[in-house]
Amino acid sequence: MYHAWDAHYRQVNVLRFTHDSAALVSGSEDSAVSVWSISSLLDDGSQNDLPSPFCTLTDHTLPVTDILCGIGLFPTCRILTASVDHSVKLWDLSSHTLLTTFQFPHPIKVLAWDVTERLFFAASEDGSIHQVNLFRQREEKFARNGLEAVGGAGVTDIIRIDGEGQENSRKRLISVSQPITTLAISLTSSLLLVGTATGLIQIYDIASHQLLRTISTHKGFSITHLSTMLKPPDLVGHVSLSLGTGSTPDARESIPVKPVTPFQRMRDPKARELHEVAIMLPAQPSRSTEAFFEYSTDELLRDHAVFVKAADIAGSGTTGVSLQSRVTELESEVSKLREQLGKAKGINDTMWETIVQKMVTETKEGKGKGKGASDDGFVALDDEDDDSEGVSRRRKRTRS
């Protein structure tokens, strides 16, 4: 359980999500209709606070019995509300305003709205179903033939269904001899499904109001809900994913049955953190994927040789003979560079030897000038250390 809060003063009769699941609309015995933002209801930071509704519609005077949400993103969609006060009201959520009020001769129990919002059906417990068109023929004398929308004038716009002529009332009225509990319109908007308190499901053609079929499978039990939808394969469990005819479905291709776990009665933060949603991805053929990604190395090299090298040759504008001459020129240039490099190395070695010999000669000449020469042809060398050492030195005589 994600959230629980006090939304109304009395019993809640009906709950409806908008088509984009962004808002929840609730109707109660207190005659109020509240619109709740789903994002605020699921906010973890406001779980301990009382949520405030997006808007509250309080124009009904008696308990609300049914709510329908129109096509569109919240809050740009419109909603229909039915009440025991014999009225059905059309609301605009973006402006929080009442557009039109439809007044009926009996309390309205359930509603059914066409997906294109051209018309809706309002049923009462006495077995009468009223078809209300949201368009009509233009009544101006000099106007062009065409249709115009019905209602939209606001609070003062009240359309009385029983105020029309008897002929029009008969055309827009379907009489069922049993109490009506639920209504539904087919996906093609061509059939009306009526559920009764005795367990019968009657199917009517909307254009002619003709009864086409009666389903008595649930006879003896009250029909509480009717809905038309595309058959979901994940609720069957034995449908094959392959499109081949006459073949036995493989166990690996069969769709597993979706598990339905019971709802919890208490709020548990740990369970919310571990909450997971299982989504079944449709099977994709593997051949197209392999054909797209399968590319061997040999094919890559072959394509490279065909396209890349050919493009390089075409871009340079040369032939085989010109390429050979270019190679010869480059080889001769390399040999010249090598010859020049050898000469540079020889010059460097000569310069190095000359500098070394010059430095050695200068060193020897400097040492000869610092020595004294004797008359007998001998040079006396006296080496003395500091007086602090107190060590006598020997006098050496060497021949110059």
Side-chain angles (χ1 to χ4, degrees):
M1 180 182 293
Y2 267 70
H3 202 4
W5 72 100
D6 295 330
H8 293 273
Y9 296 103
R10 299 184 63 183
Q11 173 183 327
V12 177
N13 291 335
V14 57
L15 290 173
R16 292 288 185 273
F17 280 103
T18 56
H19 283 269
D20 59 353
S21 299
L24 176 67
V25 186
S26 61
S28 172
E29 290 280 344
D30 58 7
S31 73
V33 177
S34 298
V35 182
W36 310 88
S37 175
I38 297 298
S39 59
S40 62
L41 296 179
L42 300 183
D43 187 8
D44 292 335
S46 61
Q47 290 298 309
N48 297 326
D49 301 333
L50 183 64
S52 58
F54 172 79
C55 65
T56 302
L57 312 176
T58 59
D59 201 70
H60 285 291
T61 57
L62 291 177
V64 178
T65 56
D66 200 4
I67 297 173
L68 291 180
C69 298
I71 299 296
L73 300 178
F74 175 78
T76 59
C77 57
R78 300 184 297 177
I79 64 172
L80 277 174
T81 59
S83 175
V84 184
D85 59 5
H86 296 206
S87 67
V88 173
K89 297 182 181 296
L90 180 62
W91 306 84
D92 180 34
L93 293 184
S94 60
S95 58
H96 309 174
T97 57
L98 174 64
L99 299 179
T100 307
T101 300
F102 301 92
Q103 198 70 28
F104 293 87
H106 304 284
I108 300 302
K109 178 68 175 178
V110 291
L111 297 172
W113 203 355
D114 178 42
V115 67
T116 59
E117 300 184 5
R118 301 174 303 169
L119 54 91
F120 69 89
F121 292 91
S124 58
E125 292 183 347
D126 63 348
S128 59
I129 303 175
H130 295 271
Q131 176 182 338
V132 180
N133 296 329
L134 298 180
F135 60 91
R136 64 186 174 188
Q137 193 76 25
R138 287 198 180 100
E139 298 179 356
E140 289 81 358
K141 182 177 180 180
F142 299 101
R144 296 181 180 179
N145 294 330
L147 301 176
E148 62 180 1
V150 173
V155 179
T156 59
D157 188 7
I158 300 176
I159 299 176
R160 300 186 181 277
I161 303 302
D162 56 347
E164 300 177 351
Q166 296 181 357
E167 184 178 356
N168 293 333
S169 299
R170 287 197 302 268
K171 289 182 180 180
R172 299 178 183 178
L173 180 64
I174 300 176
S175 297
V176 181
S177 58
Q178 301 175 14
I180 299 173
T181 56
T182 181
L183 294 176
I185 298 178
S186 63
L187 295 177
T188 58
S189 298
S190 59
L191 302 176
L192 175 66
L193 286 74
V194 181
T196 63
T198 59
L200 297 180
I201 301 175
Q202 297 181 355
I203 302 176
Y204 289 88
D205 179 65
I206 292 179
S208 61
H209 290 184
Q210 181 181 359
L211 178 61
L212 302 179
R213 183 183 176 186
T214 300
I215 303 174
S216 59
T217 306
H218 306 284
K219 190 174 182 180
F221 300 92
S222 177
I223 304 297
T224 59
H225 180 73
L226 284 177
S227 178
T228 58
M229 66 186 73
L230 296 176
K231 182 171 62 175
D234 56 343
L235 293 181
V236 180
H238 61 274
V239 177
S240 176
L241 296 177
S242 60
L243 299 178
T245 58
S247 60
T248 303
D250 190 0
R252 295 174 298 178
E253 297 181 350
S254 61
I255 302 176
V257 179
K258 179 183 292 185
V260 180
T261 58
F263 291 105
Q264 299 179 2
R265 296 180 178 271
M266 301 297 293
R267 285 190 293 178
D268 187 4
K270 296 183 179 179
R272 290 187 58 182
E273 295 177 357
L274 301 177
H275 178 68
E276 295 181 354
V277 178
I279 300 177
M280 185 184 65
L281 300 177
Q284 299 292 337
S286 59
R287 292 178 296 177
S288 60
T289 305
E290 293 178 356
F292 181 78
F293 289 101
E294 185 178 358
Y295 197 63
S296 61
T297 306
D298 298 337
E299 293 181 358
L300 177 62
L301 295 177
R302 184 170 60 253
D303 294 342
H304 181 271
V306 171
F307 296 102
V308 179
K309 291 184 178 180
D312 294 341
I313 295 175
S316 60
T318 58
T319 60
V321 178
S322 60
L323 289 176
Q324 185 64 31
S325 61
R326 179 62 177 167
V327 171
T328 304
E329 293 176 359
L330 293 175
E331 289 179 352
S332 62
E333 186 176 355
V334 169
S335 61
K336 290 180 181 180
L337 292 175
R338 288 179 178 176
E339 183 179 357
Q340 293 178 1
L341 180 61
K343 292 180 180 181
K345 287 183 177 180
I347 294 173
N348 187 27
D349 294 341
T350 303
M351 293 176 62
W352 174 257
E353 291 178 358
T354 303
I355 292 173
V356 170
Q357 291 177 1
K358 185 177 180 180
M359 292 178 65
V360 171
T361 303
E362 292 177 353
T363 303
K364 290 182 179 181
E365 290 178 356
K367 289 182 178 182
K369 291 179 180 180
K371 298 176 181 180
S374 60
D375 296 344
D376 56 359
F378 292 93
V379 178
L381 298 178
D382 297 333
D383 294 329
E384 295 180 358
D385 292 337
D386 297 334
D387 295 339
S388 61
E389 295 180 359
V391 181
S392 61
R393 298 292 185 180
R394 293 181 305 171
R395 179 174 298 177
K396 297 182 181 179
R397 294 177 178 271
T398 57
R399 187 181 299 273
S400 58

